[in-house]
Amino acid sequence: MVAVLDSVRAFFAPVTFTIDAENPSDVVPRETLLDRVMGPDRRKKSSEMIRRNRVPAEGLALVARDRDGHVIGTVRLWNVEAGINYEGTPLDALLLGPLAVDGKHGGKGIGSALMRAAILEAKNRGHGAILLVGDADYYERFGFFAEKARHLVMPGPFERSRFLALELVEGWLGGAAGMIVPSGRMLAGAPVRKAA
């Protein structure tokens, strides 16, 4: 039903935004948007531990822009290892987040458009699965379910019912178990931890 309402809304609403690849000039407006939408505690979340000092997955940092080119929405995906498979091999996946839309532009389908664009681009780039921590009622419309992530855990505290997964390749997460750990490229100049 939600997908039908999204389609009807999109049909009658004038086109007021575009989805685009994030570029370096989007960093400050994106961070300002995230601070405003997600609040000051956003950097304390378990997902942030995985993203810290990392670069998003290649081609998977997207923004929504208004008619004047201002950033009004954002979504980014990050390379992770989703535990190990039956053979004990680390399993590549993506972690989505954060997804945010400026409150002044809510209800226009921007979040849904960002999600669909991110999922399609991840699939086109050959990724097997996407994980996220979020509201199941919202993300189930895109195919994310807690069942697919049932044997995986996030570092730090997280709500099991909000830890969701979408397989882009059927069976990709079959047998996956263990901790989600970052595997993407480090941010240039990021501090490197050395083993004791």
Side-chain angles (χ1 to χ4, degrees), residues 110-181:
I110 297 169
S112 293
L114 281 165
M115 282 298 298
R116 288 187 178 91
I119 292 167
L120 180 60
E121 188 63 24
K123 187 171 186 139
N124 289 343
R125 289 177 176 267
H127 293 283
I130 302 172
L131 304 160
L132 61 81
V133 178
D135 182 12
D137 289 341
Y138 180 80
Y139 290 105
E140 283 179 357
R141 75 177 92 175
F142 305 107
F144 287 86
F145 296 97
E147 176 68 18
K148 297 283 185 187
R150 71 186 176 277
H151 298 299
L152 297 168
V153 294
M154 292 287 289
F158 72 100
E159 292 179 52
R160 171 58 61 191
S161 63
R162 293 173 50 83
F163 188 37
L164 313 172
L166 165 67
E167 288 181 322
L168 301 173
V169 174
E170 189 174 339
W172 189 265
L173 295 173
M179 179 77 68
I180 304 301
V181 295

Side-chain angles (χ1 to χ4, degrees), residues 36-154:
R36 193 171 54 249
V37 171
M38 305 193 87
D41 290 339
R42 74 179 177 96
R43 289 184 174 88
K44 296 177 183 176
K45 296 180 178 184
S46 294
S47 298
E48 187 61 30
M49 290 183 216
I50 293 171
R51 297 188 289 260
R52 190 168 293 129
N53 297 322
R54 299 283 173 169
V55 175
E58 185 69 33
L60 292 171
L62 306 174
V63 294
R65 300 182 194 283
D66 66 13
R67 287 185 218 180
D68 298 322
H70 300 114
V71 173
I72 57 172
T74 179
V75 67
R76 302 168 101 200
L77 291 93
W78 310 81
N79 296 102
V80 296
E81 289 179 359
I84 57 173
N85 63 16
Y86 289 124
E87 291 81 37
T89 305
L91 197 57
D92 290 332
L94 296 167
L95 179 69
L96 186 142
L99 168 68
V101 175
D102 186 307
K104 294 183 287 189
H105 297 276
K108 297 178 183 175
I110 297 169
S112 293
L114 281 165
M115 282 298 298
R116 288 187 178 91
I119 292 167
L120 180 60
E121 188 63 24
K123 187 171 186 139
N124 289 343
R125 289 177 176 267
H127 293 283
I130 302 172
L131 304 160
L132 61 81
V133 178
D135 182 12
D137 289 341
Y138 180 80
Y139 290 105
E140 283 179 357
R141 75 177 92 175
F142 305 107
F144 287 86
F145 296 97
E147 176 68 18
K148 297 283 185 187
R150 71 186 176 277
H151 298 299
L152 297 168
V153 294
M154 292 287 289

